[in-house]
Amino acid sequence: VVPRVHCSRPGHVKASSAPQAMVAFLRFFLFTLSTTILPFAYAFAADIQMPPRPPSIVLTIAGSDSGGGAGIQADLKAIHTISGGKCHGCSAITCLTAQNSCGVTSVHSPPVEFLRSQLLAVEEDLYPSAVKIGMLGTKELADEVGSWLRKLKENGDKRAPFVVCDPVMITTSGHKLVDDTAKVAMIEKVFPHADLVTPNKFEAEELLGKTLCTPQDVEDGARAI
């Protein structure tokens, strides 16, 4: 008796062995990927350092405080600290004050042409993402800042900066820093271009022409300003 021999045709694979072959291939592929390709890719990516993002520019337009507790001195420290060093603070000085922790003894306002030169110098090379406005000691200074802000807001080539106006008019000790003409110019020329106005209680009362006694007075005053 001659035994029968069952031979498969060349290239023929039983259906039951196909999944096993696929599983074996996937195991081999994943092993190769995890041991060679991925470590190389991680090492290559680690060597590539993305260029650092340039810091955002924040411009403070304010007075100089010889005591270092307010004005541009405090603004620049706040810009650096709050942003964790990711913002670069620039400044345009509107006035010089002689003061200490007890109060202000003297205020000097440089010519408006000097403020204009500072603003143009910053605008040309260090265009700000945000502008913080502090003390504007005279009507001329307020007019100049208002005109400059209007130009930035109407400039379609660049994104207009976010503007915060802190109308520094009266210190917390009650010392008045600006006259009525400067106050009016700030309201009419600067406020319209500000995204946020942050007076203290004394300044809010000066702007509104009335005393704020209750929380409701403060809320109503904030809406009016």
Side-chain angles (χ1 to χ4, degrees), residues 75-130:
D75 288 346
L76 293 175
K77 287 187 288 186
I79 291 168
H80 179 79
T81 302
I82 293 175
S83 70
K86 295 181 179 179
C87 289
H88 175 71
C90 298
S91 64
I93 299 176
T94 58
C95 60
L96 307 172
T97 66
Q99 62 177 303
N100 51 31
S101 60
C102 299
V104 180
T105 59
S106 182
V107 178
H108 170 69
S109 297
V112 67
E113 292 79 13
F114 182 66
L115 175 60
R116 184 182 304 127
S117 297
Q118 295 178 82
L119 295 175
L120 293 177
V122 172
E123 177 188 349
E124 290 175 359
D125 182 48
L126 299 163
Y127 191 87
S129 299

Side-chain angles (χ1 to χ4, degrees), residues 18-193:
Q20 296 177 0
M22 181 60 70
V23 170
F25 173 76
L26 288 175
R27 287 177 177 174
F28 173 77
F29 175 76
L30 293 175
F31 174 78
T32 304
L33 184 67
S34 62
T35 57
T36 59
I37 299 177
L38 288 179
F40 175 79
Y42 290 149
F44 180 74
D47 290 336
I48 299 177
Q49 295 183 355
M50 298 297 292
R53 179 183 176 183
S56 298
I57 304 298
V58 179
L59 171 64
T60 170
I61 306 173
S64 173
D65 174 6
S66 57
I72 60 169
Q73 287 85 351
D75 288 346
L76 293 175
K77 287 187 288 186
I79 291 168
H80 179 79
T81 302
I82 293 175
S83 70
K86 295 181 179 179
C87 289
H88 175 71
C90 298
S91 64
I93 299 176
T94 58
C95 60
L96 307 172
T97 66
Q99 62 177 303
N100 51 31
S101 60
C102 299
V104 180
T105 59
S106 182
V107 178
H108 170 69
S109 297
V112 67
E113 292 79 13
F114 182 66
L115 175 60
R116 184 182 304 127
S117 297
Q118 295 178 82
L119 295 175
L120 293 177
V122 172
E123 177 188 349
E124 290 175 359
D125 182 48
L126 299 163
Y127 191 87
S129 299
V131 176
K132 189 268 185 182
I133 300 169
M135 181 178 174
L136 302 174
T138 66
K139 174 183 181 299
E140 292 74 21
L141 292 173
D143 288 341
E144 183 65 31
V145 171
S147 298
W148 183 73
L149 290 176
R150 184 180 69 250
K151 181 182 68 173
L152 295 189
K153 293 287 187 176
E154 295 175 352
N155 185 2
D157 297 335
K158 296 182 179 179
R159 181 179 178 181
F162 187 86
V163 178
V164 177
C165 181
D166 179 15
V168 179
M169 297 181 295
I170 302 175
T171 66
T172 53
S173 59
H175 185 86
K176 193 169 182 178
L177 299 172
V178 300
D179 58 24
D180 290 338
T181 59
K183 180 184 70 174
V184 172
M186 185 180 296
I187 295 172
E188 295 179 351
K189 300 296 181 63
V190 178
F191 281 14
H193 307 295

